[in-house]
Amino acid sequence: MHANPFPYTNDHKRYHTWNYHLRQTFGHKVFKVALDGGFDCPNRDGTVAYGGCTFCSAAGSGDFAGNRADDLVTQFHTIREKMHQKWKDGNYLAYFQAFTNTHAPVEVLREKYETVLGLDGVVGLSIATRPDCLPDEVVDYLAELNERTYLWVELGLQTIHERTAQLINRAHDFHCFVDGVQKLRRHGIRVCVHLINGLPLETYDMMMETAQTVAAMDVQGIKIHSLHLLKGTPMVKQYEKGLVTFLSFDEYVRLVCDQLEVLPPEMVVHRITGDGPIDLLIGPMWSANKWEVLNAIDAELERRNSYQGKRYKQEVAAR
């Protein structure tokens, strides 16, 4: 077996895992408790557009979050107990996952965030949102939170390519994303960027360009996953027109390893695969086998004797 040259791991991984980062930060297991804060999305309610992103589910990409019919405290306890079936001990990050979690007046955000921050064992927040939902007063409140708790803001980018953004009805451009990142980073707020591989008509080179662009930005974390097509989403019509072609298992594994190689080694990898509810999943069906995908990525990095950041310095020198 090759020696692992990667510095950010104690679990035989060749990339900077979210689990490792949290253990280094807190000294013990910390896991996310996914919540539905009852928010809408500006891309659905007409604030910027209607219909939502074509890949987004009826649950606003919060299919595994709490039930929005329940209050946040009930959701938290329900999801926490499910998580404890997997991990006996640990503290919690309250994860506002579904829809756009800064799409409300500050007083509404404050009431929701402070409610969960007051729960036993909660050591911080992770807030998923869009870059066009970061008005100054919201950013000021996030900056206040960042001073007194552990905070991540997760921004959906998905792709840097404007043609793709239009095809998926993203309803904001790359410049908007850059502005959103800069607003947050002025206050030292950690930013995690979401990318999707396999979006309509995207090539390998386009997906690599997105990863390379994010690698050059002042962001601290990244989530990567394959497009998974769900029943009932607008993208089903695009699929039926031939605009969506699923990546194969092997294509996805090789692509993610190539993307990891160009990321800075200190960037925290929150996710390298994702799955949707199996009863809604149209494809790719291999995406439902999360651990198989993760193990294959580990094996491919091992086979290459490679690791996150291996080509990062070359990329920087070439700019």
Side-chain angles (χ1 to χ4, degrees):
M1 179 178 290
H2 300 296
N4 186 352
F6 188 66
Y8 294 103
T9 184
N10 56 5
D11 53 7
H12 308 293
K13 298 289 187 180
R14 289 171 170 261
Y15 55 92
H16 192 170
T17 68
W18 175 236
N19 180 60
Y20 175 80
H21 167 77
L22 290 175
R23 286 189 178 274
Q24 289 296 109
T25 301
F26 293 100
H28 54 262
K29 181 67 179 178
V30 174
F31 55 84
K32 281 182 170 180
V33 176
L35 305 171
D36 186 328
F39 297 101
D40 205 335
C41 174
N43 196 10
R44 293 186 184 225
D45 67 11
T47 304
V48 298
Y50 291 100
C53 296
T54 61
F55 59 80
C56 195
S57 71
S61 295
D63 298 278
F64 300 111
N67 185 343
R68 69 164 43 200
D70 295 331
D71 63 73
L72 286 171
V73 175
T74 301
Q75 285 187 46
F76 177 85
H77 289 301
T78 300
I79 299 297
R80 182 192 66 176
E81 293 312 307
K82 289 181 180 178
M83 302 299 286
H84 274 306
Q85 294 174 14
K86 189 173 183 180
W87 296 293
K88 182 179 178 181
D89 300 311
N91 287 125
Y92 320 108
L93 290 182
Y95 178 26
F96 284 84
Q97 180 182 30
F99 296 93
T100 305
N101 292 279
T102 59
H103 185 42
V106 171
E107 56 269 23
V108 174
L109 303 181
R110 187 180 295 274
E111 187 275 329
K112 292 179 185 291
Y113 299 165
E114 303 295 341
T115 293
V116 294
L117 277 175
L119 297 176
D120 288 344
V122 173
V123 294
L125 295 173
S126 191
I127 299 168
T129 191
R130 289 168 53 95
D132 55 359
C133 278
L134 293 171
D136 291 345
E137 61 272 19
V138 167
V139 174
D140 288 343
Y141 174 49
L142 293 174
E144 175 196 325
L145 284 171
N146 194 50
E147 290 294 320
R148 56 188 172 90
T149 194
Y150 177 81
L151 177 68
W152 282 86
V153 174
E154 302 191 17
L155 291 181
L157 171 61
Q158 322 313 350
T159 178
I160 66 167
H161 301 287
E162 300 302 341
R163 182 188 72 174
T164 311
Q166 292 172 10
L167 277 172
I168 64 176
N169 194 38
R170 189 65 191 153
H172 71 71
D173 60 17
F174 180 59
H175 295 295
C176 176
F177 175 81
V178 172
D179 288 344
V181 170
Q182 290 175 345
K183 282 184 175 183
L184 296 168
R185 292 302 298 148
R186 287 190 198 106
H187 298 281
I189 298 168
R190 301 173 190 84
V191 176
C192 175
V193 181
H194 291 211
L195 304 186
I196 299 178
N197 289 325
L199 289 169
L201 303 181
E202 289 223 340
T203 64
Y204 167 87
D205 288 342
M206 292 171 73
M207 291 179 270
M208 284 301 300
E209 187 179 355
T210 293
Q212 290 161 333
T213 301
V214 170
M217 297 181 70
D218 181 19
V219 298
Q220 292 64 53
I222 192 167
K223 281 187 175 181
I224 304 171
H225 67 75
S226 172
L227 173 73
H228 48 262
L229 181 64
L230 301 180
K231 297 174 185 177
T233 60
M235 189 169 278
V236 173
K237 291 182 179 179
Q238 295 177 314
Y239 176 65
E240 291 169 346
K241 292 178 181 178
L243 296 177
V244 178
T245 303
F246 300 134
L247 295 170
S248 72
F249 179 88
D250 290 339
E251 285 174 328
Y252 182 74
V253 168
R254 290 193 296 269
L255 172 61
V256 170
C257 291
D258 291 346
Q259 290 173 324
L260 288 172
E261 288 178 347
V262 302
L263 298 178
E266 67 275 10
M267 185 178 286
V268 182
V269 180
H270 293 230
R271 176 197 292 165
I272 52 173
T273 189
D275 55 347
I278 191 65
D279 59 325
L280 297 179
L281 185 63
I282 295 173
M285 299 312 294
W286 56 258
S287 68
N289 300 315
K290 177 180 178 181
W291 289 106
E292 185 177 345
V293 179
L294 293 173
N295 291 338
I297 291 169
D298 289 343
E300 175 63 12
L301 289 172
E302 174 73 13
R303 185 193 68 79
R304 299 181 184 190
N305 191 25
S306 191
Y307 48 90
Q308 179 183 338
K310 185 175 184 179
R311 291 192 284 148
Y312 175 66
K313 288 184 178 180
Q314 298 172 10
E315 295 280 330
V316 171
R319 289 180 196 132

